[in-house]
Amino acid sequence: MLTGGVGGARFLRGLVDAVDPAGVTAIVNVGDDVEVLGLAVSPDLDSVLYALAGLADDERGWGRAEETWNALATVESLGGEAWFRLGDRDLGLHLVRTQALRAGKPLSTVTAALTASLGLETAILPATDEPLRTWLDTPNGSFPFQEWFVARSHRDPVDRVRFEGAVEARPAPGVLDALHEADLILIAPSNPFVSIGPVLAVERIRSALERRRVPCVAVSPLIGGRAVKGPAASMLMRLNGGTSAAHVTQCYVGLIDALVIDEADAADVDAVSALGVRPIVTRTLMRNAAARRQLAEAALDAVALA
Ligand code: GDP
Ligand code: CA
């Protein structure tokens, strides 16, 4: 499964409820990665780790449950960099990761160690071990992802998304094997531009999808033409010209065989089919464990029906 952070992690939880977790590989966006206070932060990898380990704060929607913010309060009181919200529990993980990276370990190795420490059976792989960073070109300037998303609250309209380092970036160890050996490839209901886009910007990942011999099924992150959270709809409007399920499909033409869309978007089925993609209509709001699992099963059924 190709995935970003929070939306993707929700779907992944449903998936590992529906199938053997050890049979699942998550290929995770690293375009959001950022250095804060000297620490290497990988927000999407961490969302996936926390979600699968049952440590995520479901209400806040990001970070860890039962979080406290003492370290950040100290940073702020000392005039340090405090725009990126790092909680105390979260900080512990960034310390461990940063030390391992500084010792020369690749991100994939570090992530595997964290996954094992948390007792997870699912393989969690960064899309690449090399630096790949998402940039947004806007009428107000060009910004690295977190500056645009967090510091500027993603309010600048996006004219273009760029992936610095993508041309040179090779897939992390295990990524191509997972894609070649999979029975099914899934694309999570993550933001197509800034969560899945950076993964697909790694040329050999994109070509593995283009040449797939197994079905690839994506889940739309929009319900009734609106994002459940975040800038997906406004980006689709500006970059693809609309927010229908067909506009979501356009992001993945040639890469997917089916798109799971919400009942609220059922009117778009013909427009999705016209792009050569089979629409699967179901309820896609993952409000609880049962809904997450039902959505994962709908995506898995897409294959059985194909
Ligand atoms: P991020 O990396 O943390 O921003 O998270 P993702 O890119 O993985 O997920 C963000 C996307 O998830 C947004 O576009 C949301 O619309 C979508 N999303 C969140 N919850 C749900 C849900 O319950 N159902 C669906 N279909 N999409 C969701
Ligand atoms: Ca993200």
Side-chain angles (χ1 to χ4, degrees):
M1 174 171 130
L2 274 51
T3 180
V6 176
R10 272 185 198 152
F11 182 66
L12 190 54
R13 280 172 80 185
L15 186 64
V16 300
D17 249 3
V19 301
D20 178 5
V24 176
T25 301
I27 300 172
V28 184
N29 172 38
V30 292
D32 302 7
D33 289 13
V34 61
E35 186 164 304
V36 186
L37 295 161
L39 300 176
V41 181
S42 294
D44 288 4
L45 282 170
D46 296 345
S47 292
V48 168
L49 282 166
Y50 292 152
L52 290 184
L55 297 171
D57 189 311
D58 289 337
E59 265 156 56
R60 197 186 322 115
W62 54 271
R64 285 192 57 163
E66 291 168 41
E67 188 59 281
T68 54
W69 306 90
N70 298 303
L72 196 69
T74 302
V75 168
E76 200 158 19
S77 72
L78 298 172
E81 184 190 2
W83 61 278
F84 196 86
R85 307 254 291 147
L86 295 177
D88 299 333
R89 289 176 191 273
D90 192 26
L91 267 171
L93 188 153
H94 305 312
L95 291 169
V96 170
R97 172 166 43 219
T98 303
Q99 185 186 34
L101 290 172
R102 293 231 172 105
K105 292 193 179 135
L107 183 60
S108 54
T109 306
V110 180
T111 306
L114 295 169
T115 306
S117 301
L118 291 169
L120 303 177
E121 293 173 278
T122 298
I124 301 174
L125 307 176
T128 178
D129 276 335
E130 280 143 81
L132 185 163
R133 294 292 174 268
T134 302
W135 283 76
L136 295 306
D137 294 342
T138 85
N140 307 318
S142 293
F143 305 102
F145 182 82
Q146 297 298 352
E147 195 177 327
W148 171 73
F149 192 83
V150 177
R152 300 178 67 87
S153 311
H154 55 76
R155 83 181 98 75
D156 308 281
V158 174
D159 293 319
R160 188 164 166 239
V161 187
R162 287 184 288 121
F163 307 107
E164 193 180 79
V167 175
E168 303 81 21
R170 290 164 302 170
V175 168
L176 292 181
D177 288 343
L179 289 171
H180 290 142
E181 288 161 20
D183 300 312
L184 166 66
I185 302 170
L186 292 168
I187 298 182
S190 295
N191 185 309
F193 298 104
V194 293
S195 292
I196 304 300
V199 179
L200 296 174
V202 178
E203 189 48 45
R204 293 180 65 194
I205 297 182
R206 174 177 285 271
S207 62
L209 257 64
E210 283 168 350
R211 295 183 205 149
R212 69 197 177 282
R213 299 221 172 118
V214 297
C216 180
V217 180
V219 181
S220 174
L222 299 195
I223 299 182
R226 301 167 79 150
V228 177
K229 206 181 161 192
S234 57
M235 295 184 84
L236 270 167
M237 181 59 87
R238 194 165 167 97
L239 297 171
N240 282 16
T243 65
S244 74
H247 293 100
V248 174
T249 307
Q250 280 171 16
C251 297
Y252 298 131
V253 166
L255 303 173
I256 62 171
D257 303 290
L259 180 72
V260 180
I261 66 173
D262 196 83
E263 288 172 351
D265 301 299
D268 301 340
V269 290
D270 291 340
V272 172
S273 300
L275 293 168
V277 169
R278 200 154 58 86
I280 316 279
V281 180
T282 188
R283 287 195 190 160
T284 69
L285 184 64
M286 297 177 282
R287 74 169 78 75
N288 55 36
R292 288 192 291 266
R293 183 180 171 145
Q294 179 273 327
L295 181 58
E297 283 168 349
L300 295 167
D301 284 350
V303 190
L305 299 171

